[in-house]
Amino acid sequence: MAKRSEILAENRRLREVRFKLQPYQRRFFTSTARFPGFVAGWGTGKTACLILKGVALSERYPGNLGMIFRKTETSLRHSTIRDFEDYTGLTVPKVHPIVEIPGTGSHIMFGHADDMRSLQGMLQNVNLGWIGIEQAEEMQSAAVFDMLRGRLRRILTPNKEIQSKLIKLGVLKEYVDDFRKIPNTYPEKERDGVIDAVINKLGE
């Protein structure tokens, strides 16, 4: 079994893969809905779009922490994680399935519902920026959705490219290193405008 240091050394670069998104894929990828869904048949690129969106959120919001989730450990390991490794070129550790997206300071965790107690322990005191649930129809109740939704409370600072757009829109005065400090320096109305603009610019 590879040591963590060996995996980190291997994961120095993110594989460059180019996709041409179909219109129905682009609608999901660029969606600004809080809980977007992608319903389609087999072989339509649902997993690829989920992975691409997760990596994009990791790049656009440095220091982000997301989770890709599936019902069973077997399907997560033999399908979802395998696809993630194929698309990104990154290796996901088997013991602690969390991978760093090179050059971003962001991490992506992988979880499953086979052991809810372990999952709850893993997510205790963890604030997530995004969650991707693959094959959500496999879930038999809303318990997992409710638990994961409760962890979506990470305050994210977009990269300089997005902040530049916000400055041009007039909703951000200057570059900000940490959006958690905005409440101390920006009026509430302006702060809400910044947050709305970040959401609206997500898909561009």
Side-chain angles (χ1 to χ4, degrees):
M1 183 179 296
K3 296 180 180 178
R4 177 173 173 79
S5 59
E6 294 173 346
I7 292 174
L8 290 175
E10 182 180 342
N11 287 347
R12 286 177 180 166
R13 297 186 61 186
L14 184 67
R15 177 177 293 159
E16 183 176 343
V17 180
R18 295 186 179 274
F19 288 87
K20 181 177 180 181
L21 296 176
Q22 299 299 315
Y24 66 91
Q25 295 172 322
R26 181 169 294 278
R27 282 195 294 273
F28 169 78
F29 184 79
T30 62
S31 173
T32 58
R34 181 166 174 76
F35 301 111
F38 188 170
V39 181
W42 292 345
T44 52
K46 297 188 299 295
T47 301
C49 284
L50 170 61
I51 292 169
L52 287 172
K53 187 155 188 167
V55 171
L57 290 169
S58 299
E59 293 177 334
R60 294 175 181 179
Y61 299 89
N64 205 344
L65 176 60
M67 168 173 274
I68 294 178
F69 189 87
R70 195 160 181 181
K71 181 180 178 183
T72 69
E73 182 178 12
T74 299
S75 56
L76 177 72
R77 173 59 59 182
H78 296 296
S79 178
T80 308
I81 289 180
R82 184 187 63 190
D83 287 342
F84 179 88
E85 292 179 334
D86 287 344
Y87 288 130
T88 66
L90 304 177
T91 300
V92 180
K94 288 182 171 58
V95 178
H96 300 291
I98 179 170
V99 62
E100 181 176 357
I101 303 303
T104 67
S106 297
H107 293 79
I108 297 178
M109 306 169 67
F110 295 83
H112 58 84
D114 277 345
D115 187 349
M116 287 295 292
R117 181 174 295 181
S118 175
L119 179 65
Q120 290 171 340
M122 180 174 67
L123 292 177
Q124 186 175 9
N125 299 321
V126 171
N127 294 327
L128 296 171
W130 62 271
I131 298 166
I133 302 177
E134 187 175 20
Q135 302 295 346
E137 76 281 359
E138 295 176 347
M139 307 299 169
Q140 296 175 340
S141 74
V144 169
F145 297 95
D146 292 338
M147 183 193 65
L148 293 175
R149 185 171 59 238
R151 310 315 305 176
L152 279 174
R153 53 190 188 186
R154 194 175 190 87
I155 299 176
L156 299 168
T157 303
N159 62 23
K160 297 297 183 183
E161 181 181 351
I162 293 179
Q163 288 196 41
S164 178
K165 293 180 180 179
L166 299 180
I167 292 172
K168 290 179 180 178
L169 285 170
V171 295
L172 187 64
K173 292 179 179 178
E174 57 192 8
Y175 291 106
V176 179
D177 292 329
D178 190 341
F179 266 39
R180 289 173 297 182
K181 297 178 181 178
I182 286 181
N184 297 328
T185 57
Y186 287 76
E188 183 175 353
K189 183 177 180 181
E190 182 174 356
R191 187 167 68 251
D192 291 343
V194 170
I195 293 171
D196 290 342
V198 168
I199 294 174
N200 291 333
K201 283 300 185 183
L202 176 62
E204 297 186 6

